[in-house]
Amino acid sequence: MNSKKKQMCFDWGPGEMLVCETSFNKKVKSEMVPGCPFIHIIRKDVDVYSQIFRKLFNESHGIFVGLQRIEEELTGKSRKAQLVRVSKNYRSVIRACMEEMHQIAIAAKDPASGRQFSIQVSILSAMELIWNLCEILFIEVAPAGPLLLHLLDWVRLHVCEVDSLSADVLGSENPSKHESFWNLVTVLVLQGRLDEARQMLSKEADASPTSAGMCRILGDLMRTMPVLSPGNTQTLTELELKWQHWHEECERHLQDSTFASSPHLESLCKIMVGDEAALLEQKDLLSNWYHFLVTRLLYSHPTVKPIDLHFYAQSSLDLFLGGESSPEPLDNILMAAFEFDIHQVIKECSIALSNWWFVAHLTDLLDHCKLLQSHNLYFGSNMREFLLLEYASGLFAHHSLWQLGVDYFDYCPELGRVSLELHIERIPLTTEQKALKVLRICEQRQMTEQVRSICKILAMKAIRNNRLGSALSWSIRAKDAAFATLVSDRFLRDYSERGCFSDLDLIDNLGPAMMLSDRLTFLGKYREFHRLYGEKRFVDGASLLLSLMTSQIAPRSFWMTLLTDALPLLEQKQVIFSAEQTYELMRCLEDLTSGRPVHGEPDAQQLQDDDIETTKVEMLRLALARNLARAIIKEGSLKGSRG
């Protein structure tokens, strides 16, 4: 495929692709020499091999299954509250994994792996950031007023450097003289944490009497800022009026140059009146455009309506980037959320993130919120199902996570069953324990073909390892008559060679399963004959032995063994076989001896075997003749005594 005309060959597996070059060196005519000896394995879902991501997959599986079982009749507030709780559970799992990954990154001794773990931390952080915003906008569906409170919590949760900064400043001997003191106060104001900012200003007032008056005035402005608290009963109109008065008071202080002698305090007051230039001066402390957006809304439009969010978001992004850089994928995802374009959020996340976990679970949750009903894909499945199928397929590439994938397929009503059937057949049955798990899953779902296929595979493995009992039980479970016949023949061959049966418990308890094939029936009945003989129930045993031959159920190759088994019964003191039964045995013996093939020039071993066979036949004929005579005399005397 390049200028040297090298070609690539590839083959898909369940979760990976094999790639190799197929260009051959044609200089040597006698043999084709490959130009490249390497085969490359390209994995589809690398994250399934990460220990932390496996934890994420395992923990979230239970939340997913619980969500599918939420009662459909739950409506209104109770249903919404339950869906919000599910969303928070998903986020707590992401955060737990993120914190664990962060600890591993810190502890990493190798710088390269440390960097790799740090990248994973930032991916998990971005996932939680996006999910949290989607929760506020699409699941909580917060109205004007509470919307800003949720967005403030969102920013505070994700811009958390302020806590370590606060610890540094407050831990010093003289906090107000600390080099980061004003940075800390500014960040607290930017995040709307005005109570904490006031406490910091009181430290400045104590340390610097000249600025004490200004600190007190600004502190009072912070204290009196109208905020809609969750339990507050005031209306949005009342809040807007109060906020307008407060805003005008802040403006008046700036016009009166109240804080002119203190640039820091004046800058804080400008932030509190929503001065965009003052806010943009704090770019480093804001760290990102969405923090800038929320701070701007807090001090300029505290009662912003959800429908207007996208306008402020777009202008905040443009102002913050200032044409110096292009938006990152994360910026595009957040912007799509602020525009309430759910499908664009899912599309952008599918492109940007390294696995299907996020989009599959978020889409499923949004589908339960009845937000995706109108969106069907052109190839017959809806978006929720398509993403869940992709995610579950990735899980099946892993040696143990495939068990989670089963439940995801179960909850895909259109294509889940077919996908599960295709994937479950590809699971390598490395141990019998794993095979039993797979089998139980198939049996619970009435997947008859897969059950039969797995049982046949296990039966083949068992017979290769000479475990005949296991092979027989698997072939019975598979209801495979041909394979049951093959295993039964192996049992009979073993018996002929060793003179005893292995796996007696299994053969003794075949029950109705022995009807699966004639050979299996014969094996079960022949074992029953041995049991009757052992219990000295000779008459019953003799009848059973004869019926096995006359009903043609016994393989012809085994007739001589059956006739040899009859010898001890023929030699018993009491007559076991009746005259009629003896005639039947004689007929069977003649059929057997007359139908024997004629060999070519025999070797020494053949001659020896023929001698043994001839001796057996002669012994049988003699025993049968003697028994016939005894039976006729016995039956004649019985008739005479009755007469």
Side-chain angles (χ1 to χ4, degrees):
M1 294 198 298
N2 61 14
S3 57
K4 293 179 182 176
K5 295 186 179 175
K6 287 187 176 178
Q7 294 179 323
M8 300 300 289
C9 162
F10 69 90
D11 189 28
W12 280 110
E16 54 201 26
M17 184 170 71
L18 298 180
V19 179
C20 61
E21 284 182 24
T22 56
S23 173
F24 288 91
N25 185 352
K26 293 179 182 175
K27 288 178 184 175
V28 186
K29 288 190 178 179
S30 58
E31 56 178 322
M32 300 286 270
V33 182
C36 174
F38 299 109
I39 293 178
H40 304 278
I41 299 175
I42 300 170
R43 282 183 169 148
K44 178 180 165 190
D45 287 294
V46 182
D47 289 341
V48 297
Y49 302 96
S50 156
Q51 189 180 345
I52 305 297
F53 275 107
R54 283 207 303 276
K55 184 178 179 181
L56 176 70
F57 300 156
N58 274 307
E59 298 275 332
S60 58
H61 165 259
I63 303 169
F64 169 82
V65 172
L67 174 58
Q68 311 314 305
R69 294 172 183 164
I70 281 185
E71 297 297 323
E72 280 299 318
E73 58 264 22
L74 279 177
T75 53
K77 286 185 178 177
S78 57
R79 182 173 176 78
K80 178 181 163 183
Q82 206 156 6
L83 291 168
V84 169
R85 192 157 55 247
V86 168
S87 180
K88 289 183 189 299
N89 288 343
Y90 275 129
R91 285 201 296 115
S92 69
V93 170
I94 299 173
R95 284 199 81 79
C97 292
M98 182 172 72
E99 282 159 21
E100 195 170 331
M101 189 80 82
H102 182 61
Q103 293 306 317
I104 293 171
I106 293 167
K109 290 170 184 171
D110 170 25
S113 61
R115 277 193 302 275
Q116 189 60 38
F117 286 126
S118 295
I119 291 166
Q120 300 282 25
V121 170
S122 57
I123 290 170
L124 285 165
S125 177
M127 283 162 63
E128 211 260 327
L129 179 79
I130 299 161
W131 192 300
N132 195 347
L133 183 60
C134 290
E135 181 186 298
I136 293 164
L137 301 178
F138 306 136
I139 305 169
E140 286 267 14
V141 198
L147 174 61
L148 185 63
L149 296 178
H150 285 300
L151 290 174
L152 274 170
D153 286 339
W154 174 60
V155 162
R156 288 167 187 168
L157 185 64
H158 294 280
V159 183
C160 44
E161 294 84 355
V162 65
D163 295 323
S164 56
L165 187 62
S166 178
D168 283 350
V169 172
L170 292 172
S172 65
E173 284 182 28
N174 193 345
S176 64
K177 301 298 179 194
H178 193 282
E179 60 181 358
S180 300
F181 175 78
W182 288 108
N183 277 356
L184 174 60
V185 180
T186 306
V187 172
L188 291 170
V189 173
L190 291 171
Q191 289 196 6
R193 294 163 68 166
L194 298 182
D195 286 343
E196 293 168 75
R198 274 173 52 229
Q199 289 170 13
M200 299 306 293
L201 284 181
S202 68
K203 294 186 185 300
E204 168 65 9
D206 293 343
S208 174
T210 53
S211 60
M214 290 182 288
C215 287
R216 185 180 51 75
I217 293 167
L218 191 61
D220 285 343
L221 288 173
M222 290 177 180
R223 183 175 52 78
T224 56
M225 180 182 173
V227 179
L228 186 73
S229 55
N232 206 323
T233 54
Q234 66 180 333
T235 63
L236 278 183
T237 313
E238 289 170 342
L239 178 71
E240 282 171 348
L241 280 169
K242 286 180 182 176
W243 185 84
Q244 198 61 45
H245 288 307
W246 173 83
H247 192 262
E248 286 166 6
E249 192 181 346
C250 293
E251 290 271 18
R252 197 163 51 251
H253 280 294
L254 284 172
Q255 286 164 9
D256 295 346
S257 303
T258 305
F259 309 109
S261 61
S262 173
H264 290 301
L265 294 174
E266 188 169 47
S267 171
L268 291 174
C269 193
K270 282 181 179 178
I271 290 169
M272 287 163 64
V273 296
D275 185 308
E276 281 178 5
L279 282 169
L280 289 169
E281 281 175 16
Q282 308 300 335
K283 256 189 183 184
D284 290 343
L285 296 178
L286 285 164
S287 72
N288 52 60
W289 68 269
Y290 48 89
H291 189 180
F292 170 56
L293 162 69
V294 176
T295 305
R296 188 179 163 207
L297 290 173
L298 174 65
Y299 295 118
S300 303
H301 310 281
T303 56
V304 64
K305 294 181 175 67
I307 198 166
D308 297 325
L309 266 181
H310 72 94
F311 164 72
Y312 292 112
Q314 188 63 60
S315 63
S316 296
L317 177 63
D318 295 342
L319 283 167
F320 196 82
L321 295 183
E324 293 169 20
S325 57
S326 302
E328 298 284 329
L330 177 60
D331 302 329
N332 294 330
I333 294 165
L334 296 176
M335 188 56 69
F338 283 124
E339 289 169 357
F340 286 85
D341 189 344
I342 294 173
H343 300 113
Q344 190 63 24
V345 170
I346 293 163
K347 181 183 172 183
E348 296 276 356
C349 289
S350 300
I351 295 166
L353 296 172
S354 59
N355 64 68
W356 293 102
W357 179 90
F358 182 85
V359 283
H361 289 83
L362 181 61
T363 306
D364 174 60
L365 181 57
L366 295 176
D367 188 68
H368 276 83
C369 298
K370 310 283 191 242
L371 294 171
L372 298 170
Q373 307 306 84
S374 62
H375 200 78
N376 282 332
L377 303 176
Y378 66 88
F379 42 80
S381 177
N382 60 34
M383 185 184 278
R384 170 194 173 272
E385 182 156 322
F386 170 75
L387 294 170
L388 286 175
L389 291 172
E390 284 295 328
Y391 173 63
S393 300
L395 293 178
F396 265 80
H398 191 265
H399 65 87
S400 64
L401 289 176
W402 65 268
Q403 295 170 79
L404 305 181
V406 173
D407 283 327
Y408 289 92
F409 282 136
D410 279 347
Y411 289 108
C412 293
E414 288 182 48
L415 301 173
R417 168 85 180 199
V418 178
S419 301
L420 178 58
E421 286 172 355
L422 289 170
H423 281 82
I424 213 150
E425 286 174 351
R426 295 169 175 172
I427 295 173
L429 306 175
T430 44
T431 64
E432 195 155 308
Q433 185 186 7
K434 189 173 181 180
L436 287 167
K437 276 184 188 173
V438 176
L439 202 56
R440 189 161 57 249
I441 286 163
C442 294
E443 285 175 340
Q444 285 166 352
R445 289 156 184 78
Q446 285 84 50
M447 291 161 64
T448 318
E449 282 305 310
Q450 284 69 29
V451 168
R452 190 172 290 132
S453 171
I454 292 162
C455 290
K456 282 176 82 169
I457 290 165
L458 294 169
M460 287 295 290
K461 278 187 178 178
I463 208 161
R464 277 200 296 270
N465 295 326
N466 212 31
R467 291 165 52 225
L468 296 184
S470 181
L472 183 58
S473 64
W474 285 123
S475 58
I476 290 168
R477 199 161 172 179
K479 296 184 173 60
D480 188 325
F483 206 85
T485 299
L486 175 76
V487 180
S488 301
D489 278 338
R490 283 284 299 270
F491 264 107
L492 294 169
R493 196 173 78 203
D494 263 25
Y495 173 78
S496 298
E497 290 169 2
R498 292 163 47 205
C500 63
F501 282 113
S502 57
D503 300 284
L504 284 181
D505 278 354
L506 176 65
I507 302 169
D508 284 345
N509 295 291
L510 283 172
M514 75 167 67
M515 306 308 290
L516 184 60
S517 81
D518 284 353
R519 199 59 44 83
L520 187 55
T521 306
F522 170 69
L523 177 65
K525 291 292 182 186
Y526 184 52
R527 166 60 195 146
E528 192 181 327
F529 158 73
H530 277 273
R531 202 173 67 252
L532 292 170
Y533 187 88
E535 293 168 3
K536 297 196 167 23
R537 292 163 61 188
F538 299 135
V539 176
D540 293 340
S543 299
L544 178 58
L545 190 69
L546 186 62
S547 71
L548 288 176
M549 295 181 73
T550 54
S551 65
Q552 304 293 314
I553 202 168
R556 197 175 177 84
S557 60
F558 214 74
W559 277 20
M560 184 54 77
T561 305
L562 293 176
L563 287 165
T564 309
D565 285 334
L567 260 176
L569 295 172
L570 293 168
E571 301 291 347
Q572 290 290 325
K573 285 183 181 177
Q574 75 270 36
V575 177
I576 305 295
F577 290 102
S578 66
E580 189 181 343
Q581 288 176 321
T582 310
Y583 280 127
E584 286 288 350
L585 287 172
M586 285 174 153
R587 185 180 60 74
C588 290
L589 181 61
E590 292 312 311
D591 282 355
L592 188 63
T593 51
S594 62
R596 286 171 71 189
V598 178
H599 297 285
E601 199 64 38
D603 58 14
Q605 181 63 45
Q606 185 65 54
L607 286 168
Q608 189 181 346
D609 289 347
D610 284 352
D611 282 348
I612 293 167
E613 201 72 8
T614 307
T615 308
K616 273 187 188 176
V617 171
E618 291 307 319
M619 284 174 66
L620 278 166
R621 281 183 176 146
L622 187 61
L624 285 165
R626 274 209 304 265
N627 189 78
L628 181 60
R630 289 163 64 204
I632 291 169
I633 292 165
K634 181 183 173 185
E635 286 166 23
S637 63
L638 283 172
K639 279 181 187 174
S641 63
R642 280 203 297 272

